[in-house]
């Protein structure tokens, strides 16, 4: 399907979804949220896609937040629908069952940081600036940002970033784990391509199991989560890729995973 606000492109098993509103610093309006929902639903159901890269067009911003022009005149009923649509789309990314890498070259603010926090790896340039500045608009994050920031970076950082609204630089974001990798701007694509290629060659069912165990298990009480991990482990032991991976180790060769 043709998108108005996204560019979706493929390189082997790597799908890149680029939010393409650079004049508005890739702000998330309703239509973009709907298109992202469709693009990630497609990526989920397309077995040829093993890894997704989520990017923002232009040099300046990954995503500068929800579209403030749309928000400024929103009714409470529409605000709830907007928040729910954004939360649903971001949950789809979080539980995609395939790794998603956020490419953060500049600002990731508000909804931009919220969507990045749903991705499984966040690779940023040294110029990246991350924040939840909604307080400055008399608002709070509405796409799950308070909760994901709390869980990713801890209560002190979540309270400070949400209450003061001040973006943090890439070094601080890296220290907090909000950036999994930080690289020079001109190395960003090389780093992401190398990571994506490594993930694309990995065993997809094992990756899905890891994502489920960490993301779904992480939301359960510990004993339930351990049980979930054991059952997922047992399930993955039925795959051809598990046989191949273990046999290749014993035969001292590189495994070739087929995704079966
Ligand atoms: N929603 C809608 N439009 C946005 C936007 C957003 N979240 N962020 C930026 N834009 C638009 C600007 O209105 C401007 O459009 P215009 O040229 O038609 O006037 C364009 O993007 C460029 O932004 P500008 O503010 O001129 O760039 P800057 O370099 O001076 O500042 C930022 C960059 C990111 C610091 C600034 O744009 C900003 O603070 N954005 C809002 C961040 C935010 O509060 N996000 C949370 C939203 S809930």
């Amino acid at each position: 399907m043709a998108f108005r606000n996204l560019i979706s492109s493929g390189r082997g098993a790597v799908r890149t979804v680029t939010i393409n509103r650079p004049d508005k610093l890739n702000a998330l309006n309703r239509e973009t949220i709907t298109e992202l929902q469709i693009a990630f639903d497609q990526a989920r159901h397309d077995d040829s896609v093993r890894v997704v890269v989520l990017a923002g067009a232009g040099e300046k911003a990954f995503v500068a937040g929800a579209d403030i022009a749309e928000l400024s005149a929103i009714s409470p009923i529409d605000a709830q629908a907007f928040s729910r649509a954004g939360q649903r789309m971001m949950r789809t990314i979080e539980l995609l069952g395939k790794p998603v890498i956020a490419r953060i070259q500049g600002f990731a603010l508000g909804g931009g940081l919220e969507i990045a926090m749903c991705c499984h790896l966040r690779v940023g340039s040294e110029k990246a600036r991350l924040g939840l500045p909604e307080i400055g608009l008399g608002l709070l994050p509405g796409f799950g940002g308070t909760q994901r920031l709390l869980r990713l970076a801890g209560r002190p950082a979540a309270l400070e970033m949400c209450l003061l609204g001040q973006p943090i630089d890439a070094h601080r974001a890296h220290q907090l784990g909000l950036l999994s990798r930080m690289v020079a701007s001109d190395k960003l694509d090389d780093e992401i391509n190398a990571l994506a290629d490594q993930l694309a060659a990995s065993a997809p069912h094992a990756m899905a199991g890891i994502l489920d165990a960490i993301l779904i298990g992480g939301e359960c009480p510990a004993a339930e989560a351990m049980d979930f991990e054991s059952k997922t482990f047992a399930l993955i032991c039925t795959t051809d890729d598990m046989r191949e991976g273990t046999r290749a180790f014993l035969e001292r060769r590189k495994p070739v995973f087929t995704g079966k």
Side-chain angles (χ1 to χ4, degrees), residues 19 28-29 32-34 36-38 40-41 44 54 62-63 65-66 82-96 100 109-120 132 134 141-145 148 215 219:
I19 301 170
L28 300 175
N29 59 0
T32 305
I33 288 173
T34 303
L36 282 165
Q37 181 74 55
I38 294 167
F40 277 91
D41 283 339
R44 169 197 284 283
L54 178 62
F62 168 65
V63 172
F82 183 66
S83 167
R84 284 193 173 149
Q87 286 186 356
R88 176 166 167 261
M89 176 274 285
M90 293 187 193
R91 188 70 170 159
T92 301
I93 295 175
E94 189 168 47
L95 297 185
L96 197 72
V100 183
L109 300 178
L113 178 54
E114 290 178 295
I115 198 170
M117 288 193 290
C118 296
C119 298
H120 310 109
L132 292 178
E134 285 86 346
F143 295 146
R148 290 200 177 91
L215 295 160
E219 293 174 2

Side-chain angles (χ1 to χ4, degrees), residues 23 36 43 51 59 65 78 90 105 124 138 149-150 164 167 171 178 180 187 196 203 210 235 260:
D23 296 349
L36 282 165
V51 186
E59 286 302 309
D78 287 348
M90 293 187 193
Q105 80 281 33
L149 186 59
L150 171 65
L164 303 180
H171 290 270
L178 288 177
S180 2
K187 296 281 182 299
I210 288 166
L235 185 67
K260 300 268 189 320

Side-chain angles (χ1 to χ4, degrees), residues 21-25 27-28 60-61 64-69 71 107 109-111 133-134 137 139:
R21 302 185 74 211
D23 296 349
K24 297 291 173 193
L25 304 188
L28 300 175
K60 207 163 163 181
D67 191 308
I68 298 171
L71 275 184
F107 290 108
L109 300 178
E134 285 86 346
L137 302 167
L139 265 175

Side-chain angles (χ1 to χ4, degrees), residues 91-205:
R91 188 70 170 159
T92 301
I93 295 175
E94 189 168 47
L95 297 185
L96 197 72
K98 304 177 184 192
V100 183
I101 305 172
R103 177 190 184 278
I104 304 177
Q105 80 281 33
F107 290 108
L109 300 178
L113 178 54
E114 290 178 295
I115 198 170
M117 288 193 290
C118 296
C119 298
H120 310 109
L121 296 169
R122 287 168 292 281
V123 183
S125 91
E126 287 169 334
K127 293 185 184 153
R129 291 178 66 77
L130 283 68
L132 292 178
E134 285 86 346
I135 187 68
L137 302 167
L139 265 175
L140 70 154
F143 295 146
T146 58
Q147 298 312 299
R148 290 200 177 91
L149 186 59
L150 171 65
R151 284 163 176 75
L152 279 173
R155 190 186 292 194
L159 282 168
E160 181 168 337
M161 286 176 69
C162 290
L163 285 176
L164 303 180
Q166 196 67 39
I168 57 173
D169 66 18
H171 290 270
R172 177 84 180 120
H174 190 230
Q175 277 171 354
L176 287 172
L178 288 177
L179 287 181
S180 2
R181 304 261 172 114
M182 181 184 63
V183 294
S185 302
D186 60 348
K187 296 281 182 299
L188 190 58
D189 286 320
D190 290 348
E191 181 76 18
I192 288 172
N193 288 340
L195 280 174
D197 287 346
Q198 180 184 333
L199 293 165
S202 292
H205 294 297

